[in-house]
Amino acid sequence: MAQVRDDEALIRELLAGVADGWGYGGVKGWLMGKRVNESDLAGWLREHEAALGADAEVRGQLGGLAGLGRGELAEVAGELVRGWEPEVDESEVWFDRGNELYGLGRYEEAIASYERAIEFKPDKHEAWSNRGVALRNLGRYEEAIASYERAIEFKHDYHQAWDNRGVALGNLGRYEEAIASYDQAIEFKPDFHEVWSNRGVVLGNLGRYEEAIASYDQAIEFKPDYHQAWENRSISLAKLGRDEEA
């Protein structure tokens, strides 16, 4: 009875040899010695792609085989290894680049990067929101608001975008709209101390000092060491002619 060839055992022997330093000549010599057709083993690799890809050690060894750069086995191994590489999320790459540029104060370039991220993933709400922040820093408040609204369109409970929208509206003197935007942020995240403080500032700008103080008190409740809220609270108390209150 003819012996059944164990292709898996042959592949493992081959990969072990390559790991030990075989070059292309060594592989050809091994194939001749085993009387194995290279195309047959290459076909076995293709047929068992899923199982091979699930074994991290084998994936690494196939990478070594692919690195030989010659022969059908190396070619197939290269195809498999490339197929197992995780897909690059272009949207995330551009988003991260935008954040880095923003951190450097290069706002125009950051905006361009966020827009590239949005091209790859139009519903990427974080990119729309961060684009709005960069636009606001350039004084382009209307565009910033529009960008925040796109973020909110894709994620209605995105409290950061509601807060940032409120800031941009306040920059334009649209204080009532700003308060409404802050209230939306608070609805989705009641302990968001920055938005309570920002809301207090706008209420103060409207001369509604009692409400402003109540808003600062909420900010302080959630973050007792929030010095900006304490400072702005003191200003509102002074406007009312009241002594500093603990």
Side-chain angles (χ1 to χ4, degrees):
M1 181 182 292
Q3 185 178 2
V4 177
R5 195 178 75 194
D6 187 343
D7 284 347
E8 181 178 359
L10 286 170
I11 287 292
R12 291 188 179 279
E13 185 178 333
L14 168 63
L15 293 176
V18 172
D20 284 339
W22 291 358
Y24 178 67
V27 171
K28 291 296 289 183
W30 177 83
L31 288 168
M32 290 178 63
K34 293 289 182 178
R35 297 182 181 180
V36 175
N37 182 284
E38 184 173 5
S39 293
D40 289 344
L41 281 188
W44 189 92
L45 285 177
R46 283 196 174 97
E47 289 173 12
H48 294 81
E49 175 181 358
L52 294 168
D55 188 323
E57 182 180 1
V58 172
R59 289 200 306 269
Q61 291 174 327
L62 283 168
L65 178 58
L68 296 180
R70 294 176 63 188
E72 188 176 356
L73 279 166
E75 180 182 344
V76 172
E79 291 173 5
L80 297 183
V81 170
R82 287 191 293 275
W84 294 324
E85 291 174 355
E87 284 189 32
V88 175
D89 186 341
E90 294 287 353
S91 177
E92 197 64 26
V93 170
W94 284 104
F95 178 68
D96 290 342
R97 183 175 183 272
N99 290 341
E100 291 173 9
L101 289 164
Y102 178 87
L104 295 171
R106 293 159 60 178
Y107 301 128
E108 292 284 2
E109 293 171 84
I111 291 165
S113 283
Y114 293 135
E115 288 172 352
R116 288 288 285 154
I118 290 163
E119 284 180 29
F120 286 102
K121 189 176 181 186
D123 63 350
K124 192 171 182 64
H125 60 277
E126 304 98 323
W128 282 109
S129 185
N130 287 9
R131 176 179 178 269
V133 175
L135 286 163
R136 193 187 75 212
N137 284 347
L138 292 172
R140 294 158 61 179
Y141 303 124
E142 293 285 1
E143 292 173 81
I145 292 165
S147 206
Y148 298 136
E149 288 174 351
R150 291 308 305 275
I152 292 163
E153 177 184 335
F154 293 116
K155 185 172 173 58
H156 187 65
D157 63 350
Y158 194 37
H159 58 275
Q160 292 98 331
W162 283 108
D163 178 40
N164 286 324
R165 180 177 179 271
V167 173
L169 287 163
N171 291 142
L172 291 172
R174 294 159 60 180
Y175 298 134
E176 294 291 352
E177 292 174 81
I179 292 167
S181 200
Y182 292 139
D183 287 345
Q184 282 288 333
I186 290 165
E187 180 180 335
F188 296 119
K189 189 170 174 58
D191 63 348
F192 192 4
H193 62 276
E194 292 100 331
V195 76
W196 280 110
S197 185
N198 290 344
R199 182 175 179 274
V201 171
V202 172
L203 286 164
N205 288 339
L206 289 170
R208 294 158 59 179
Y209 301 117
E210 292 284 3
E211 293 173 80
I213 291 165
S215 206
Y216 295 133
D217 285 344
Q218 284 289 93
I220 292 163
E221 178 181 339
F222 294 118
K223 188 173 173 58
D225 62 349
Y226 194 35
H227 63 91
Q228 289 170 301
W230 281 108
E231 182 179 348
N232 288 330
R233 182 177 184 274
S234 296
I235 293 170
S236 289
L237 285 167
K239 292 287 188 180
L240 291 171
R242 286 157 55 181
D243 294 331
E244 187 73 23
E245 296 178 359

